[in-house]
Amino acid sequence: QAGDLVCIDCGATVDGYRSDITRDWVVGEPTNEQSCFYAAVMRAHNQALSLVRPGASSHLLNAAARAEFVTAGIEDCWRHSIGHGVGLAIHESPSLREGIDTVLVEGDVVTIEPGAYRSGWGGVRIEDLLVVTEDGARMLTAAPRELRVIRA
């Protein structure tokens, strides 16, 4: 219905290996609140992405993304970790959950997926898949990240 947020999490399997992506749509034009919410999640996503490299810790990635939620005044909407490993299983090591201080190494394939959810209102999650390289990370996801509008 007009005003609904639609969050789609999907993937594919190729030669036994998994992928994972989440993108968001809004039915009709987004409200100011929806646009601000989405922008905060995007800032958290970009902040975490910028830190992915060998030696980066899950604590650092979660803290950087969470700080963007605090700045936006939506810290109570944080509902899960910043990401997880992907390979032969959709969720595998390395775990990027809060409370587990995982350190990334070259070759890790991980998601970065901050999500913000408000009960009775909806939520937003932006998820990309990337591989940790010698000097940073290479994005494996090619889909645009902007909030898309579904014309009602």
Side-chain angles (χ1 to χ4, degrees), residues 48-125:
L49 279 178
S50 74
L51 297 172
V52 174
R53 62 184 38 83
S57 71
S58 57
H59 173 76
L60 174 70
L61 300 175
N62 278 286
R66 207 179 246 283
E68 293 295 336
F69 279 41
V70 170
T71 298
I74 62 169
E75 64 271 17
D76 60 323
C77 298
W78 182 271
R79 296 286 185 265
H80 60 81
S81 68
I82 194 65
H84 56 87
V86 178
L88 296 173
I90 196 66
H91 293 104
E92 63 178 41
S93 292
S95 173
L96 300 181
R97 288 185 300 152
E98 288 185 299
I100 298 175
D101 199 22
T102 303
V103 175
L104 295 175
V105 298
E106 184 178 356
D108 282 342
V109 176
V110 297
T111 65
I112 295 298
E113 57 175 302
Y117 308 93
R118 186 174 292 146
S119 182
W121 184 81
V124 168
R125 184 168 70 237

Side-chain angles (χ1 to χ4, degrees), residues 2-82:
D4 284 350
L5 285 169
V6 180
C7 183
I8 299 177
D9 184 354
C10 59
T13 304
V14 176
D15 295 330
Y17 289 91
R18 306 298 180 107
S19 67
D20 204 3
I21 180 175
T22 305
R23 292 297 188 262
D24 305 277
W25 289 259
V26 62
V27 180
E29 290 302 317
T31 65
N32 189 46
E33 182 181 26
Q34 289 169 329
S35 293
C36 290
F37 208 78
Y38 192 83
V41 174
M42 181 63 81
R43 286 191 306 274
H45 181 80
N46 289 337
Q47 184 62 30
L49 279 178
S50 74
L51 297 172
V52 174
R53 62 184 38 83
S57 71
S58 57
H59 173 76
L60 174 70
L61 300 175
N62 278 286
R66 207 179 246 283
E68 293 295 336
F69 279 41
V70 170
T71 298
I74 62 169
E75 64 271 17
D76 60 323
C77 298
W78 182 271
R79 296 286 185 265
H80 60 81
S81 68
I82 194 65

